[in-house]
């Protein structure tokens, strides 16, 4: 069974640009969550999507948004990039939500802002 | 606001030692607690999930315990090996699939 796939693996952007990251969950998984990982703040929850609906959102500005498609694939978008957005962005998938199922993480997209 | 703390921040042990990693959390209203490992440049690998009604879970050389009332969990690794070297992360599941993570323990097992 294929794992969680995130594309691209690496991305370099400049301040003010926008970026879209993609996540394909494990087949059959309907929940996708996004996290930001930085050396200073550690891992922080961005948002969760289940059956195309945003179920929960972390404490991030509105520049961070996401969506989920009918095949459970998810994208997150960051607009007006800032230097502080440089991070590893991780996606996790799970069969359900709030049902004690483990979450499976992809290898992430490393975003660097110049 | 939930806060998760992991102690120690780093640990270096010789191969073969048994070791304990600690995790504490401030709000006991959780669905479950999960332990992950992260290798450099990689995502997270799920190790163990303990539901809020459970006291412990075991997988191979790993054993995790949960004391929800005191807000503590421990991860016990038996007979450590160099391949166990990684960052170990503790996370509590509060709502839906939202995880709140600790800062991690960096483990180095020397051969």
């Amino acid at each position: 069974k294929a794992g969680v796939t995130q594309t691209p693996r690496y991305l370099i952007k400049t301040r003010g640009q926008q970026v879209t990251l993609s996540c394909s969950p494990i087949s059959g998984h309907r929940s996708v969550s996004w996290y930001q990982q930085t050396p200073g703040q550690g891992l922080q929850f961005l948002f969760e999507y289940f059956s195309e609906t945003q179920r929960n959102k972390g404490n991030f500005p509105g520049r961070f948004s996401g969506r989920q498609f009918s095949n459970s694939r998810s994208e997150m978008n960051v607009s007006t990039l800032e230097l502080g957005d440089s991070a590893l962005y991780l996606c996790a998938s799970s069969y359900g939500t709030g049902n004690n199922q483990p979450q499976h993480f992809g290898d992430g997209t490393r975003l660097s802002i110049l | 606001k939930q806060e998760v703390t992991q102690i120690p921040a780093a640990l270096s042990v010789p191969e073969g030692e048994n070791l304990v990693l600690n995790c504490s959390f401030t709000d006991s209203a959780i669905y479950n607690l999960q332990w992950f490992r992260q290798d450099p440049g990689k995502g997270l690998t799920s190790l163990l999930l303990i539901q809020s009604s459970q006291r412990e879970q075991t997988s191979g050389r790993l054993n995790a315990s949960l004391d929800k009332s005191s807000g503590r969990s421990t991860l016990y690794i038996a007979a450590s090996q160099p391949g166990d070297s990684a960052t170990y992360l503790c996370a509590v599941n509060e709502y839906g699939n939202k995880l709140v993570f600790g800062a991690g323990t960096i483990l180095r097992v020397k051969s």
Side-chain angles (χ1 to χ4, degrees):
Chain A
K1 204 177 199 179
V4 177
T5 303
Q6 292 188 245
T7 57
R9 286 297 313 278
Y10 303 92
L11 210 46
I12 299 174
K13 292 286 187 179
T14 56
R15 281 182 299 174
Q17 288 187 309
Q18 74 165 15
V19 67
T20 299
L21 312 182
S22 179
C23 173
S24 293
I26 291 172
S27 177
H29 284 192
R30 294 164 61 196
S31 169
V32 173
S33 300
W34 289 88
Y35 293 84
Q36 181 196 65
Q37 186 174 31
T38 60
Q41 299 297 317
L43 273 153
Q44 293 185 286
F45 174 79
L46 280 157
F47 27 65
E48 177 194 2
Y49 286 87
F50 179 77
S51 293
E52 302 178 64
T53 302
Q54 188 179 88
R55 289 293 305 263
N56 203 355
K57 190 177 191 303
N59 189 26
F60 279 82
R63 301 185 297 108
F64 292 81
S65 62
R67 59 178 176 168
Q68 187 179 34
F69 302 95
S70 59
N71 62 357
S72 295
R73 189 177 71 86
S74 178
E75 291 181 345
M76 68 163 281
N77 183 275
V78 188
S79 62
T80 319
L81 287 165
E82 300 177 359
L83 291 177
D85 297 333
S86 294
L88 179 65
Y89 289 88
L90 292 165
C91 161
S93 79
S94 180
Y95 179 75
T97 183
N99 60 354
N100 284 314
Q101 293 294 313
Q103 294 188 49
H104 301 267
F105 282 77
D107 282 340
T109 294
R110 184 162 297 281
L111 175 62
S112 298
I113 311 301
L114 304 179
Chain B
K1 179 189 170 189
Q2 180 75 264
E3 291 184 3
V4 180
T5 303
Q6 291 189 244
I7 295 173
L11 187 60
S12 182
V13 300
E15 183 177 4
E17 268 204 11
N18 303 325
L19 56 100
V20 174
L21 308 182
N22 296 290
C23 172
S24 62
F25 49 96
T26 55
D27 188 343
S28 61
I30 63 172
Y31 276 142
N32 58 62
L33 183 143
Q34 299 180 43
W35 284 93
F36 296 89
R37 69 174 278 169
Q38 185 175 30
D39 295 285
K42 294 289 191 179
L44 279 61
T45 300
S46 178
L47 297 174
L48 290 165
L49 182 152
I50 312 175
Q51 297 179 28
S52 61
S53 59
Q54 297 175 328
R55 297 284 294 184
E56 67 177 332
Q57 281 287 333
T58 298
S59 176
R61 294 183 294 108
L62 305 179
N63 175 276
S65 68
L66 173 64
D67 184 342
K68 204 174 77 152
S69 61
S70 68
R72 295 176 189 276
S73 175
T74 61
L75 178 66
Y76 175 83
I77 303 177
S80 58
Q81 303 171 358
D84 294 331
S85 298
T87 297
Y88 288 79
L89 293 152
C90 164
V92 294
N93 185 180
E94 288 192 310
Y95 171 79
N97 281 334
K98 177 186 175 183
L99 295 176
V100 179
F101 284 87
T105 294
I106 301 171
L107 173 64
R108 181 185 170 212
V109 181
K110 299 172 288 186
S111 56

